[in-house]
């Protein structure tokens, strides 16, 4: 179904007759914007709930059937935002990014010389104040226009945010400076005429806050990429039994289509003819293809690695497994609350308090008989002290330094909000394949009836080199040179046969052989008990060798689990693999608990189950099948060697496959959050201590501006300390495994 600007869907969990309307909003710049929309929509009669997903710029409203949809749109637009068509939301996000970047570049270019003129007396010249006016006016009123617009919209709704403080602080400092400049030019005799100008203060405020908005916009503008990639994974066409080629969208339930080796299965269905090995790793996350034959269910977008199938479509469109995974990701992203920045929470009461104090200061100085210029000076000093310069630096600078340090360590942190999510994380859930293990099959052991029979290895490897099966690739890699193969034949789900060196060679399951030696079969049972896969090889119908094939546990996985335990976290293994293999891997790396045979929807449900038990969960994964769980988790951590979709659905990305980097990511996030909290505390403490001094006239505006600069310097210095973060991989106490460990060895 094509998604329009307003999309009504029955709400099964809402009262009878209720509907759901989905709208896409352009112009949200922070979590407080989302809360304002939720609050105002929630006040409308007939609206039962309103949920705003800031990352996806989406609003879901549950309401009675008689609620006018136009009223929902008008309510949002009165707040200063715009409602856009769903097809245009990505373009709107890109446009917002470009506008913010352009405003910041102009502001930075103009503010830097203004600051130098104001702070370096040697650079000043006669009439330099007019140059400051020319430099800072575009910054305050053009680059900062979004702050003024949203501040006015908020005031109309009786709300104050950081936008209010940015708008008020930059405008008042600019207006005050303009008055002083004009009076001094006219030769006035009042103290105002000889006052100091603060043009650079307003410009600096706007520039620093724009920097924070730019970082935030960069982190959120690609938030829909995971969903778009999921939608594009399926086959574009299907070939019917009569040879007709249809677009995937035109397939209906009951149609039969042919799937050749190497092709994607067009949609979910049931096999009605043929046998094949299907690579379902995008769903299960497991590297071993699944053997399917008549009567078995297959999933759309999975790949037929060998054999030929005729499939009857059983689910199409939004009912397919791939579409359901996409919906799980979208729903989980929408239900994850956006953590409000500490600066916004402080400003919710700090802003009106500062304004009130400034007004009271002005009034008290007047009523106590002081001249109006002295009263204005004290009031403006309060507002300048209250300007959020240090508050504006506190979050973006720490994020910039922390994420920069993270990038140098191979850790990508997507945005400032997720840093707070790490604070209360108490459990880490690890996917197995590709996360704890390498995600590829290798031959761990070769067992032979006759140890002198080296030729069977070369012959089996030569035969398997003709197959595209992943396990075949592992066996084929045992020898560098392969013999010629004649009369090659592949039997899907059973194995392969062919003539090598004039002999009939068979490689596959037990069903290919009439005779298997007792010792060979005993070794195979022992290997299978650890979760390994056993492939037999032999001449004609007599097996003479067995290849034990398994995935490989990453060498740093045990050390990573120890590091996570050191951080005070409970570690759980979550996998679609069988209990036997999962149990062995879990024991080998030292996790606290193991959940096996878990499909994608079950992974997401397991995360919800843990959260319902009041656990704060971080999920670590690498595959498409992990995307719903990554999005649902309080903190999603993707292994960068995995799929793009897992990376897009996560909050943190580990660019290497080293699981120890997960511990580094959590530790760095916590350190960065701690730095932000320290910055905000001292920035706020500076305001709390200095505002009374300004109100009593002890601090004039110039000294107030200097104190504000010192507060900003502290924030900068404190943030730069993050560059010294090392992480667990730099610790000699973390022992790396010296021997390669196999899953199931």
């Amino acid at each position: 179904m094509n998604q329009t600007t307003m999309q009504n869907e029955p709400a099964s969990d809402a009262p009878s007759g209720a509907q759901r309307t989905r709208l896409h909003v352009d112009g949200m710049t922070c979590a407080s914007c989302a809360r304002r929309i939720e609050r105002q929509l929630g006040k409308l009669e007939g609206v039962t709930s309103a949920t705003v997903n800031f990352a996806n710029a989406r609003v879901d409203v549950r309401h009675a059937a008689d609620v006018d949809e136009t009223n929902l749109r008008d309510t949002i637009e009165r707040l200063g935002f715009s409602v856009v068509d769903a097809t245009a939301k990505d373009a709107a996000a890109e446009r917002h990014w470009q506008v913010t970047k352009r405003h910041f570049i102009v502001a930075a270019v103009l503010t830097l010389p203004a600051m130098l003129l104001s702070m370096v007396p040697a650079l000043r010249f006669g009439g330099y104040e007019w140059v400051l006016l020319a430099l800072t006016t575009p910054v305050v009123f053009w680059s900062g226009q979004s702050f003024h617009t949203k501040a006015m919209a908020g005031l109309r709704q009786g709300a104050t945010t950081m936008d209010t403080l940015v708008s008020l602080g930059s405008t008042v400092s600019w207006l005050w400076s303009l008055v002083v400049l004009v009076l001094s030019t006219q030769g006035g005799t009042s103290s105002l005429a000889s006052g100091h100008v603060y043009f650079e203060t307003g410009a600096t405020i706007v520039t620093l806050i724009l920097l924070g908005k730019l970082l935030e916009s960069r982190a959120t503008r690609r938030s829909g990429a995971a969903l778009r990639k999921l939608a594009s994974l399926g086959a574009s066409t299907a070939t019917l039994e009569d040879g007709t080629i249809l677009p995937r969208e035109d397939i209906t339930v009951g149609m039969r289509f042919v799937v050749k080796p190497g092709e994607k299965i067009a949609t979910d269905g049931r096999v009605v003819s043929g046998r094949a090995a299907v690579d379902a790793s995008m769903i299960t996350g497991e590297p071993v293809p699944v053997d399917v034959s008549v009567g078995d269910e297959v999933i759309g977008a999975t790949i037929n690695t060998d054999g030929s199938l005729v499939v009857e479509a059983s689910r199409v469109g939004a009912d397919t497994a791939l579409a359901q995974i996409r919906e799980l990701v979208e729903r989980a992203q929408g239900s994850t609350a956006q953590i409000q920045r500490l600066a916004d929470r402080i400003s919710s009461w700090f802003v009106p308090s500062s304004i009130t104090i400034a007004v009271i200061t002005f009034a008290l100085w007047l009523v106590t008989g002081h001249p109006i210029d002295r009263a204005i000076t004290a009031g403006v000093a309060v507002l300048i002290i209250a300007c959020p310069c240090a508050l504006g630096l506190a979050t973006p600078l720490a994020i910039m330094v922390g994420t920069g340090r993270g990038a140098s360590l191979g850790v990508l942190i997507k945005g400032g909000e997720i840093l707070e999510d790490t604070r209360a994380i108490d459990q880490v859930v690890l996917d197995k394949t590709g996360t704890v293990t390498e995600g590829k099959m290798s031959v761990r052991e070769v067992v032979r009836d006759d140890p002198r029979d080296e030729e069977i290895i070369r012959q089996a490897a030569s035969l398997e080199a003709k197959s595209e099966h992943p396990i075949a690739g592992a066996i084929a890699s045992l020898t560098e040179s392969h013999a010629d193969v004649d009369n090659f034949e592949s039997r899907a789900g059973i194995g392969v046969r062919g003539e090598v060196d004039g002999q009939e060679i068979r490689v596959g399951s037990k069903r290919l052989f009439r005779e298997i030696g007792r010792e060979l079969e005993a070794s195979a049972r022992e290997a299978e008990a650890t979760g390994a896969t056993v492939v037999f090889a032999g001449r004609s119908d007599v097996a003479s060798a067995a290849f034990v094939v398994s995935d490989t546990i990453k060498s740093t996985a045990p050390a990573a689990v120890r590091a996570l335990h050191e951080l005070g976290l409970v570690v759980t293994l979550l996998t679609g693999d069988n209990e036997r293999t999962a149990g062995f891997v879990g024991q080998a790396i030292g996790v606290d608990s193991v959940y096996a045979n878990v499909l994608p929807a079950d992974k997401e449900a397991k995360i919800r189950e843990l959260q319902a038990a009041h656990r704060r969960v971080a999920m670590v994964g690498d595959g498409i099948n992990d995307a719903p769980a990554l999005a649902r988790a309080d903190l999603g951590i993707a292994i960068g060697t995995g799929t793009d979709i897992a990376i897009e659905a996560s909050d943190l990305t580990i660019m290497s496959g080293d699981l120890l980097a997960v511990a580094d990511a959590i530790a760095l996030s916590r350190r960065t959050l701690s730095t932000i909290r320290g910055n905000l505390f001292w920035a706020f403490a500076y305001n709390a201590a200095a505002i009374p001094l300004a109100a009593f006239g002890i601090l004039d505006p110039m000294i107030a501006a200097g104190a504000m600069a010192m507060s900003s310097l502290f924030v900068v210095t404190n943030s730069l300390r993050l560059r010294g973060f090392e992480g667990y991989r730099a610790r000699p106490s973390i022992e790396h495994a010296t021997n390669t460990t196999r899953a199931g060895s």
Side-chain angles (χ1 to χ4, degrees):
M1 180 174 61
N2 292 329
Q3 191 181 54
T4 58
T5 302
M6 295 196 177
Q7 175 181 328
N8 291 332
E9 301 175 14
S12 59
D13 56 345
S16 178
Q19 295 179 333
R20 184 177 72 182
T21 297
R22 176 169 293 173
L23 306 100
H24 297 278
V25 180
D26 182 29
M28 289 192 294
T29 59
C30 63
S32 62
C33 297
R35 287 205 314 279
R36 283 172 55 207
I37 294 174
E38 287 179 345
R39 187 165 55 246
Q40 293 303 316
L41 289 176
K43 292 179 180 178
L44 297 179
E45 185 176 354
V47 172
T48 56
S49 69
T51 303
V52 179
N53 184 346
F54 172 52
N56 285 338
R58 190 183 70 224
V59 182
D60 285 304
V61 186
R62 293 193 180 277
H63 56 84
D66 59 352
V67 170
D68 186 358
E69 294 176 348
T70 304
N71 194 22
L72 301 177
R73 180 198 294 265
D74 292 343
T75 299
I76 293 174
E77 292 181 344
R78 281 197 299 270
L79 294 174
F81 309 100
S82 58
V83 179
V84 299
D85 188 88
T87 57
K89 68 173 185 175
D90 292 332
E94 180 64 24
R95 185 169 60 253
H96 179 263
W97 157 261
Q98 294 296 339
V99 169
T100 304
K101 183 169 69 173
R102 186 163 58 249
H103 284 176
F104 170 72
I105 291 173
V106 171
V109 168
L110 295 177
T111 299
L112 181 59
M115 291 181 63
L116 290 174
L117 274 176
S118 300
M119 299 174 63
V120 183
L123 297 178
R124 297 174 186 171
F125 49 84
Y128 80 94
E129 295 92 344
W130 291 101
V131 176
L132 289 177
L133 173 64
L135 288 171
T136 59
T137 299
V139 177
V140 173
F141 296 104
W142 183 76
S143 295
Q145 61 182 285
S146 64
F147 301 122
H148 307 311
T149 301
K150 289 183 173 56
M152 291 302 297
L155 289 175
R156 285 195 295 269
Q157 302 297 323
T160 57
T161 64
M162 280 292 289
D163 288 327
T164 309
L165 198 53
V166 173
S167 176
L168 185 61
S170 60
T171 303
V172 167
S173 61
W174 184 89
L175 286 174
W176 160 264
S177 301
L178 181 63
V179 170
V180 171
L181 180 57
V182 171
L183 289 178
S184 65
T185 302
Q186 293 176 350
T189 58
S190 69
S191 58
L192 281 175
S194 59
H196 186 74
V197 294
Y198 301 97
F199 288 117
E200 81 287 351
T201 299
T204 302
I205 292 170
V206 170
T207 303
L208 292 174
I209 303 301
L210 277 176
L211 172 62
K213 298 300 181 185
L214 190 67
L215 293 172
E216 187 175 78
S217 179
R218 182 179 64 179
T220 60
R221 69 188 181 113
R222 295 179 61 212
S223 60
L227 300 180
R228 291 194 298 272
K229 288 176 182 176
L230 275 173
S232 66
L233 279 178
S236 57
T237 61
T239 303
L240 302 185
E241 286 184 296
D242 61 3
T244 303
I245 298 177
L246 285 180
R248 180 185 61 190
E249 294 77 14
D250 293 343
I251 301 175
T252 59
V253 174
M255 283 187 175
R256 294 187 175 187
F257 55 91
V258 178
V259 187
K260 297 178 181 178
E263 291 183 344
K264 289 183 179 180
I265 297 173
T267 190
D268 295 2
R270 181 178 58 85
V271 177
V272 295
S273 176
R275 179 187 293 271
V278 175
D279 180 1
S281 58
M282 62 166 289
I283 300 297
T284 64
E286 301 308 318
V288 182
V290 178
D291 295 326
V292 298
S293 57
V294 175
D296 290 333
E297 298 289 332
V298 291
I299 298 173
T302 56
I303 302 172
N304 177 11
T305 62
D306 61 10
S308 183
L309 299 174
V310 176
V311 178
E312 182 177 281
S314 59
R315 291 185 297 273
V316 297
D319 295 328
T320 63
L322 183 62
Q324 292 300 313
I325 290 176
R326 182 177 183 271
E327 174 61 23
L328 281 170
V329 174
E330 191 171 25
R331 193 190 317 154
Q333 287 181 342
S335 66
T336 302
Q338 296 297 318
I339 303 297
Q340 176 55 36
R341 285 190 175 182
L342 294 175
D344 286 330
R345 290 203 293 267
I346 292 172
S347 69
S348 64
W349 59 269
F350 180 70
V351 175
S353 299
S354 299
I355 296 172
T356 301
I357 293 172
V359 172
I360 293 174
T361 298
F362 173 77
L364 287 177
W365 279 88
L366 277 184
V367 299
T368 54
H370 293 83
I372 187 171
D373 59 333
R374 191 70 185 91
I376 291 175
T377 299
V380 170
V382 170
L383 287 175
I384 290 177
I385 281 290
C387 285
C389 195
L391 283 173
L393 274 174
T395 298
L397 187 59
I399 291 174
M400 184 167 61
V401 178
T403 53
R405 179 55 182 155
S408 68
L409 294 173
V411 175
L412 299 184
I413 304 173
K414 282 195 173 181
E417 291 84 359
I418 61 94
L419 295 172
E420 284 200 80
D421 294 338
T422 67
R423 173 187 51 174
I425 291 297
D426 53 25
Q427 184 159 356
V428 175
V429 176
L430 304 175
D431 170 54
K432 182 179 75 69
T433 305
T435 302
V436 171
T437 68
E438 298 291 350
K440 58 183 179 181
M441 307 302 289
S442 61
V443 177
R444 169 182 110 206
E445 182 184 5
V446 180
V447 181
R448 287 163 291 175
D449 271 342
D450 183 356
R452 296 169 297 178
D453 188 3
E454 295 286 348
E455 280 299 299
I456 190 61
I457 298 177
R458 185 183 65 85
Q459 291 170 333
S462 300
L463 186 62
E464 289 286 59
K466 296 290 185 179
S467 175
E468 296 181 356
H469 198 289
I471 290 181
I475 296 173
S477 66
L478 290 176
T479 59
E480 295 182 359
S481 61
H482 297 131
D484 293 334
V485 178
D486 298 319
N487 301 321
F488 177 81
E489 177 186 345
S490 175
R491 299 178 62 186
I494 299 178
V496 294
R497 63 166 299 281
E499 293 182 7
V500 182
D501 300 332
Q503 296 178 295
E504 180 187 351
I505 303 298
R506 299 182 185 183
V507 181
S509 67
K510 291 180 181 179
R511 287 184 289 174
L512 274 178
F513 301 96
R514 174 183 55 83
E515 181 181 334
I516 299 176
R518 183 176 301 176
E519 292 185 7
L520 197 65
E521 190 159 10
S523 297
R525 283 197 302 269
E526 183 179 342
E528 288 174 342
T530 66
T533 299
V534 177
V535 178
F536 293 94
R539 300 175 180 90
S540 186
D541 57 358
V542 178
S544 56
F547 299 91
V548 180
V549 184
S550 64
D551 200 353
T552 305
I553 295 176
K554 293 179 179 178
S555 61
T556 57
V561 173
R562 290 197 298 272
L564 293 172
H565 284 153
E566 185 179 319
L567 288 168
L569 303 169
V570 175
V571 185
T572 297
L573 186 68
L574 189 66
T575 178
D577 210 341
N578 61 75
E579 293 182 1
R580 195 169 50 192
T581 301
F584 172 81
V585 173
Q587 183 178 15
I589 65 175
V591 299
D592 300 293
S593 57
V594 176
Y595 297 102
N597 297 314
V598 184
L599 294 177
D602 298 325
K603 285 187 177 182
E604 189 264 353
K606 178 59 68 174
I607 298 297
R608 282 192 284 110
E609 179 184 320
L610 292 171
Q611 290 170 331
H614 307 293
R615 309 294 296 182
R616 295 281 292 181
V617 183
M619 172 70 191
V620 185
D622 74 314
I624 294 169
N625 61 304
D626 301 318
L630 286 167
R632 171 66 66 181
D634 299 289
L635 182 69
I637 304 176
I639 301 297
T641 52
T643 65
D644 290 343
I645 291 168
I647 292 171
E648 292 295 341
S650 67
D651 301 308
L652 294 173
T653 299
I654 307 304
M655 296 308 295
S656 70
D658 189 348
L659 200 59
L660 258 177
V662 173
D664 286 348
I666 294 175
L668 176 60
S669 295
R670 289 181 176 181
R671 177 77 64 82
T672 305
L673 175 62
S674 176
T675 300
I676 291 174
R677 287 176 168 273
N679 287 347
L680 291 174
F681 172 80
W682 288 110
F684 173 67
Y686 141 81
N687 286 105
I691 285 178
L693 297 177
F696 284 104
I698 299 174
L699 293 179
D700 64 21
M702 190 167 186
I703 296 177
M708 184 176 66
M710 292 301 295
S711 175
S712 299
L713 180 61
F714 168 80
V715 167
V716 170
T717 304
N718 193 43
S719 298
L720 290 177
R721 291 172 59 241
L722 286 168
R723 293 187 301 181
F725 177 85
E726 290 295 336
Y728 283 92
R729 284 172 293 175
R731 293 189 182 184
S733 59
I734 295 294
E735 298 176 3
H736 289 239
T738 55
N739 297 319
T740 301
T741 305
R742 308 261 182 207
S745 61

